[in-house]
Amino acid sequence: MRIGFFTKLFTVILMLLLCAIGIMVFQALGIRDDVASSEDHRYRSLLLAGELFQSSEDLTRMARTYVTTGNPIYKHYFFDILDIREGIKPRLQNYPNTYWHLADVGKSSVAELGEPVSLFEMMRNEGLDKQETALLWEAKIKSDKLTILEKQAIAAVDEIQARGKDKLTIHWSPERQLSIDLLFGERYIAEKAAVIAPIQQFSDLLDTRTQAEVKDGLARLHRHILVVMTLIVIAMLAVAATIFYARRAVLLPLAQLRSEVMNIAQGDYAARCHIETHNELAELGGAFNSMALAIEQDIGKREETEESMRQAIAIFENSSEAMIVTDAENIIITVNPAFTRVTGYTSDEIVGQSPDILNAGLQGEASLLAMKTSLVANGYWEGEMEGRRKNKDVYIEWRTMNAIYNDDGSVHRWVTLFSDITAKKKSEELIWQQANFDPLTSLPNRHMFHNQLKQEIKKADRFGSSIALILLDLDNFKAVNDVYGHNVGDLLLKEAAWRLSSCVRGIDQVARLGGDEFTVILGSLKSLISINRVIRDILHRMSEPFKLGDEIAYVSASIGVTFYPHDGAGAESLVRNADQAMYAAKNKGRNCFSYFTHTLQEAAQIRMRLAGDLRSALAGNQLQLHYQPIVEFETGRVHKAEALLRWHHPKLGLVSPVDFISIAEETGMIVDIGDWVFRMAAQQAKVWRASHSAPFQISINTSPVQFRKNVDLHKPWLDFLQELELPGQSIAIEITEGLLMDVSPDVTSKLRSFREAGIEVSMDDFGTGYSSLSYLKKFDIDHLKIDQSFVQSLAPDSDDLALCEAIIVMAHKLGIKVIAEGIETSEQRDLLALAGCDYGQGNLFSEPLPADRFEKFMNAAQSEANRSVSM
């Protein structure tokens, strides 16, 4: 058996024995406590039984005294005792004589009252068994019978006193004699004796039970003591066995090993030690034999060492790494040829000098101190440092230094190896720069931004601070690229990056995520006021004109802001939150900012679900066109209508176009939906041109997405009109002013194709966007639609009326008809008609209607118009 295993085994056995002894002793103490607890239980139970008997005695004494004397204080004592015993009134704390000396207790300031609790409840809480409880309950029932007799006697005396009213002397009466007979008669005495019998039985039963528990506890205690003594004897035997084993397996082999060591010391290198045991000493004997064999082979090893030295010299001379060997004082003794190739110094020029000549003035004090500390402590150092060649050129080297020690532990030589890694470092720096920085603006790119954000989050967690993440997107940047070209767009991005960096502190992180998206990480926040100032500065700087060579461009910024840890727990959630807030700023009209709220997150989730549902809306026949009439002011006739899209969601009901059109545009589904709208409107126009008015025209709304380069909509639409044998005038397309900002050839060619086919073009929401007369002239607009925001507040002599009049006059000068949207009142209609507006549209005339209801509306409008003409 191995010594280590035996030691562990003995330790485990001894610890188990000690633990067992401790457990048995602890259990013996518990048995002693159980015996004491049984005695204590007996004492308290007897007190409660005695209290039951004593209370019965006190009730008897008080009742008899009251009956014989008529003094009301004894009646009062009687009911006090009864209320305390039944738990109606509080009882004295830690006072066993609860039912007597009441007058003295009342006067004592020391006595304290406890909680009301009945005597029988106290007995039940004491944990009496069923038989004991039954005996006490029997005694209480019999005591209660006595109490009934006592109450009857007291009631009789009360009746006598009631007849005597205020008389101080109670005269003798038959009722009084009856009360005395009740309390002193044989029946009462017999009942009194019956109370004592179960209490005495209870005491006997309790004594028997207690004696049995004490006897059982003492027996168990004796058994535990016997087991403890047995375990102690086993522990002593284990110690004796250990001593015997140690002598046989350890001491004797040690003596044998010592004898053989003495032989080796005297020069007998053939000495060998043969230990018969199978433990660590046997292994030590084997190691001793190996040592003796090693000594015999020492001469051969010396020859091998000399060969190794020759090989080391060859490696030293032919190594591609520069090597320096210095003495203990760090003076160069020798260098290899590679050293000369790297530094330019020959061996004759450098031997005898300090290696510091290569690095003088290039290393910081902290770096030198760290290197010297490592060399002194460990005799080794490895790291990167700068060096200077003989021609004064600076290079970067990777240096390794090792100490060679004497037998006494002092340093004998220092060996230094280094290689020139200048080209490698430049290559790594270039790769790192390309991987982490935007080549156009030199700002950190998306990869570096995410690393910086994670570091800032860790810093905020460590110091308990907050950070703000700002996501910025340039408004109308695409238009700059399309109009002036990508070279000018790149200049704008560089200028925007410089402006953004100038608005924040030096410790803040600015990055370009790609395209025209930038981010700013603001750390160590102190107040929201500073955030608002930074955001206002950014918005102001970005809205200033950009002078880009010979061109001047105007853009703005939409900003989303989110905070850590308030809004999100990680980098990904923060970026997502900032993106949602940024799109909320764009939806508010751009050139503004928005803070992230959980409402935005919920809205984004709703948009995501709507986007998924919208994909099946077209195939599921959930889309429907409603039509709103466009009334000609001069005649009151309806020759035009605007087709308005409605989505009847199977679960959500009617979904507003405001909620899903932007989703359709973002996902590109607007192309298929717009094509469906055109075809449905064209088919409906054919029906109404045949049944109501030959020049009837339906206008449809279009999205800038439908005019993108990769969307071919004009040719299929024109082919569909020819298939229906409809002229182009049957359809009008409504575009927004934002589309006219995009003067790309694709937009221009599509609009020109529609014009050549006779399809009219209306500019929707005129006056709310980038209105320009040059756009109206360039694109041959047929109708201007005055936005309802100008019509809603229309009143005589108002600014909105003046603005509407100016738009109408301007449009008529250019040969453009004007349609006013959102007319709700007759006053608005009359003011617009007086100003010369051509058409009106709004709920005053009709709300948007399904096709069948719109047809009824047209029939009614035609009848009204004919009636007006006939009159």
Side-chain angles (χ1 to χ4, degrees):
M1 180 183 297
R2 296 178 65 83
I3 296 174
F5 175 78
F6 177 80
T7 302
K8 293 177 181 177
L9 178 62
F10 169 74
T11 302
V12 170
I13 293 174
L14 188 59
M15 291 301 294
L16 290 175
L17 288 172
L18 292 176
C19 289
I21 292 171
I23 292 171
M24 297 305 293
V25 170
F26 180 80
Q27 290 179 349
L29 294 176
I31 294 170
R32 185 192 66 181
D33 292 339
D34 292 341
V35 172
S37 177
S38 297
E39 293 287 348
D40 185 60
H41 170 72
R42 174 180 175 275
Y43 172 76
R44 290 194 305 272
S45 301
L46 290 176
L47 281 180
L48 293 173
E51 188 171 337
L52 177 60
F53 174 75
Q54 183 64 43
S55 64
S56 178
E57 289 295 309
D58 284 345
L59 288 171
T60 299
R61 186 170 72 252
M62 297 302 171
R64 285 177 174 177
T65 306
Y66 176 71
V67 168
T68 56
T69 65
N71 190 340
I73 188 63
Y74 295 103
K75 173 186 175 183
H76 175 72
Y77 286 168
F78 176 88
F79 285 103
D80 275 352
I81 293 170
L82 190 60
D83 288 345
I84 292 172
R85 188 176 77 172
E86 297 303 322
I88 298 174
K89 286 186 177 182
R91 61 195 294 118
L92 293 176
Q93 292 184 346
N94 303 320
Y95 186 66
N97 300 329
T98 306
Y99 301 97
W100 55 92
H101 302 157
L102 292 175
D104 294 336
V105 170
K107 297 176 183 179
S108 174
S109 62
V110 177
E112 293 181 4
L113 295 178
E115 295 293 329
V117 58
S118 68
L119 178 60
F120 194 77
E121 181 66 23
M122 294 174 63
M123 294 176 180
R124 186 162 49 246
N125 292 338
E126 186 57 36
L128 302 176
D129 62 19
K130 185 181 296 185
Q131 186 177 1
E132 293 167 347
T133 303
L135 290 172
L136 289 180
W137 181 247
E138 180 184 351
K140 184 180 182 303
I141 291 174
K142 292 180 178 180
S143 176
D144 289 342
K145 290 181 179 179
L146 285 176
T147 302
I148 293 172
L149 295 176
E150 291 160 356
K151 286 182 179 180
Q152 290 175 355
I154 291 171
V157 174
D158 287 345
E159 184 177 350
I160 296 170
Q161 289 182 343
R163 288 201 302 269
K165 297 185 179 178
D166 298 332
K167 292 181 182 181
L168 298 177
T169 304
I170 301 176
H171 296 282
W172 194 262
S173 66
E175 291 86 353
R176 183 177 181 82
Q177 183 60 44
L178 177 62
S179 299
I180 292 173
D181 293 339
L182 280 174
L183 299 181
F184 292 90
E186 293 180 0
R187 177 188 174 190
Y188 183 87
I189 294 171
E191 293 291 345
K192 192 71 176 179
V195 174
I196 300 174
I199 293 177
Q200 184 61 44
Q201 292 178 20
F202 168 82
S203 299
D204 296 339
L205 180 63
L206 187 63
D207 287 339
T208 303
R209 172 187 170 188
T210 303
Q211 290 174 3
E213 289 178 350
V214 170
K215 182 178 180 180
D216 177 71
L218 292 176
R220 288 191 291 125
L221 183 60
H222 293 158
R223 288 197 297 271
H224 275 70
I225 292 173
L226 181 61
V227 172
V228 169
M229 296 301 297
T230 303
L231 292 175
I232 292 174
V233 171
I234 293 174
M236 294 176 65
L237 291 176
V239 172
T242 301
I243 295 172
F244 175 79
Y245 174 82
R247 183 179 181 282
R248 185 181 66 83
V250 178
L251 296 179
L252 293 178
L254 280 176
Q256 182 183 357
L257 183 60
R258 179 180 179 279
S259 175
E260 298 300 333
V261 169
M262 296 298 295
N263 292 336
I264 289 289
Q266 295 173 3
D268 183 10
Y269 298 112
R272 298 292 185 270
C273 183
H274 302 285
I275 298 176
E276 299 298 329
T277 60
H278 299 283
N279 53 27
E280 290 87 339
L281 290 176
E283 296 175 358
L284 183 59
F288 172 82
N289 296 335
S290 298
M291 180 187 70
L293 180 63
I295 293 174
E296 289 182 347
Q297 297 173 345
D298 181 61
I299 296 176
K301 289 184 177 179
R302 287 182 182 179
E303 293 177 351
E304 294 176 358
T305 301
E306 291 175 357
E307 177 62 25
S308 298
M309 288 296 295
R310 287 192 293 272
Q311 293 177 0
I313 292 172
I315 293 172
F316 180 80
E317 293 294 333
N318 298 283
S319 173
S320 60
E321 284 191 290
M323 296 185 183
I324 307 173
V325 180
T326 62
D327 61 14
E329 303 300 326
N330 202 29
I331 300 301
I332 297 177
I333 298 174
T334 183
V335 296
N336 68 345
F339 174 88
T340 302
R341 290 195 297 272
V342 173
T343 66
Y345 290 99
T346 64
S347 176
D348 295 336
E349 294 172 331
I350 202 69
V351 170
Q353 300 191 52
S354 171
D356 294 340
I357 191 176
L358 302 174
N359 315 103
L362 297 178
Q363 303 302 122
E365 294 184 2
S367 300
L368 291 175
L369 180 60
M371 180 179 68
K372 291 179 180 179
T373 303
S374 177
L375 291 174
V376 172
N378 307 314
Y380 173 82
W381 181 82
E382 182 178 23
E384 182 182 302
M385 60 190 309
E386 292 182 330
R388 184 181 286 108
R389 307 185 204 276
K390 181 179 178 181
N391 61 4
K392 307 303 180 184
D393 289 344
V394 176
Y395 65 94
I396 301 174
E397 66 180 45
W398 184 264
R399 174 175 292 197
T400 303
M401 298 181 67
N402 289 278
I404 300 176
Y405 296 98
N406 294 313
D407 294 339
D408 60 0
S410 61
V411 176
H412 177 63
R413 293 285 186 269
W414 292 101
V415 178
T416 302
L417 292 82
F418 64 91
S419 55
D420 185 355
I421 60 170
T422 305
K424 178 182 178 183
K425 288 291 294 183
K426 290 181 179 179
S427 176
E428 290 176 351
E429 289 177 1
L430 178 60
I431 293 173
W432 185 84
Q433 183 77 17
Q434 292 174 345
N436 294 281
F437 287 87
D438 174 43
L440 178 64
T441 63
S442 298
L443 292 176
N445 60 11
R446 183 182 296 271
H447 177 264
M448 174 65 84
F449 156 73
H450 279 281
N451 290 337
Q452 291 173 339
L453 181 57
K454 291 175 182 177
Q455 292 300 320
E456 288 295 331
I457 290 175
K458 291 180 181 178
K459 188 188 301 182
D461 291 338
R462 186 165 58 251
F463 296 107
S465 59
S466 300
I467 61 176
L469 176 62
I470 297 176
L471 181 63
L472 177 146
D473 184 83
L474 298 179
D475 303 324
N476 303 316
F477 175 73
K478 181 179 182 299
V480 175
N481 260 347
D482 293 341
V483 174
Y484 302 119
H486 289 281
N487 291 334
V488 174
D490 289 345
L491 292 176
L492 189 149
L493 291 174
K494 291 181 180 179
E495 176 68 15
W498 181 85
R499 292 184 184 184
L500 184 59
S501 299
S502 67
C503 293
V504 299
R505 303 168 298 179
I507 62 173
D508 298 325
Q509 310 289 339
V510 180
R512 180 191 177 203
L513 298 186
D516 57 346
E517 279 192 344
F518 296 87
T519 62
V520 181
I521 304 172
L522 303 178
S524 303
L525 297 182
K526 295 182 179 179
S527 67
L528 188 62
I529 298 176
S530 59
I531 300 296
N532 291 334
R533 179 187 59 77
V534 171
I535 294 173
R536 286 196 301 270
D537 289 347
I538 294 173
L539 291 174
H540 174 71
R541 293 301 307 276
M542 292 303 173
S543 62
E544 293 177 351
F546 284 79
K547 184 170 178 56
L548 310 171
D550 297 332
E551 307 293 343
I552 296 179
Y554 295 88
V555 297
S556 59
S558 295
I559 296 177
V561 187
T562 188
F563 294 93
Y564 176 87
H566 182 267
D567 295 335
E572 295 298 331
S573 62
L574 285 178
V575 174
R576 186 168 57 252
N577 295 344
D579 189 64
Q580 293 174 6
M582 185 267 290
Y583 275 104
K586 282 189 176 295
N587 293 334
K588 287 195 299 186
R590 305 186 179 187
N591 194 24
C592 62
F593 70 95
S594 174
Y595 287 110
F596 170 79
T597 63
H598 290 288
T599 303
L600 290 178
Q601 189 175 27
E602 293 172 0
Q605 294 173 350
I606 292 173
R607 286 174 63 85
M608 187 181 301
R609 288 194 293 269
L610 285 178
D613 295 342
L614 189 57
R615 297 185 185 278
S616 58
L618 195 59
N621 295 322
Q622 298 172 13
L623 300 181
Q624 183 181 6
L625 288 183
H626 286 200
Y627 301 90
Q628 188 171 37
I630 300 174
V631 180
E632 187 177 24
F633 280 142
E634 184 177 356
T635 63
R637 296 183 180 275
V638 179
H639 299 299
K640 297 177 182 292
E642 180 180 358
L644 299 170
L645 185 62
R646 297 291 183 267
W647 180 15
H648 291 274
H649 193 282
K651 294 181 180 179
L652 303 178
L654 188 63
V655 181
S656 171
V658 176
D659 295 329
F660 72 85
I661 289 299
S662 60
I663 298 175
E665 290 178 328
E666 293 172 8
T667 59
M669 287 187 286
I670 193 67
V671 176
D672 293 334
I673 293 174
D675 183 68
W676 178 85
V677 169
F678 176 85
R679 295 175 184 273
M680 293 297 293
Q683 293 173 359
Q684 192 62 59
K686 181 175 181 179
V687 173
W688 286 336
R689 287 170 73 92
S691 61
H692 290 281
S693 175
F696 195 87
Q697 182 186 75
I698 296 179
S699 62
I700 62 171
N701 292 284
T702 59
S703 166
V705 178
Q706 295 173 273
F707 288 87
R708 289 177 180 170
K709 182 177 181 179
N710 59 343
V711 179
D712 183 14
L713 57 84
H714 61 287
K715 188 176 185 305
W717 286 5
L718 298 179
D719 292 343
F720 188 70
L721 289 178
Q722 290 181 0
E723 181 182 335
L724 295 177
E725 297 180 352
L726 281 175
Q729 290 82 0
S730 59
I731 296 294
I733 61 172
E734 296 188 8
I735 62 175
T736 60
E737 293 173 332
L739 177 65
L740 300 186
M741 291 288 293
D742 187 354
V743 293
S744 64
D746 297 301
V747 174
T748 305
S749 64
K750 288 182 175 65
L751 289 176
R752 185 180 299 111
S753 298
F754 289 139
R755 292 287 301 162
E756 291 173 354
I759 296 177
E760 295 183 352
V761 178
S762 297
M763 181 180 288
D764 198 9
D765 302 333
F766 184 78
T768 61
Y770 301 91
S771 304
S772 173
L773 296 179
S774 62
Y775 294 145
L776 301 180
K777 180 180 178 181
K778 182 175 182 178
F779 289 98
D780 295 329
I781 302 300
D782 297 288
H783 297 91
L784 285 183
K785 301 191 76 172
I786 299 176
D787 188 69
Q788 59 182 354
S789 61
F790 302 119
V791 177
Q792 287 175 350
S793 302
L794 207 60
D797 300 325
S798 64
D799 293 338
D800 288 333
L801 178 59
L803 183 59
C804 290
E805 290 174 343
I807 293 174
I808 293 168
V809 171
M810 175 200 66
H812 288 170
K813 290 291 185 180
L814 295 174
I816 300 174
K817 298 288 187 180
V818 180
I819 303 172
E821 294 182 302
I823 299 175
E824 301 286 343
T825 66
S826 300
E827 183 183 22
Q828 295 170 354
R829 176 196 61 196
D830 296 340
L831 289 172
L832 289 167
L834 187 61
C837 185
D838 300 293
Y839 298 95
Q841 179 181 349
N843 289 340
L844 175 65
F845 308 110
S846 174
E847 63 181 8
L849 301 171
D852 54 346
R853 292 177 57 192
F854 185 85
E855 191 163 353
K856 295 178 181 179
F857 168 82
M858 285 196 299
N859 292 333
Q862 183 68 33
S863 301
E864 181 65 25
N866 293 336
R867 191 161 48 250
S868 299
V869 171
S870 63
M871 292 176 61

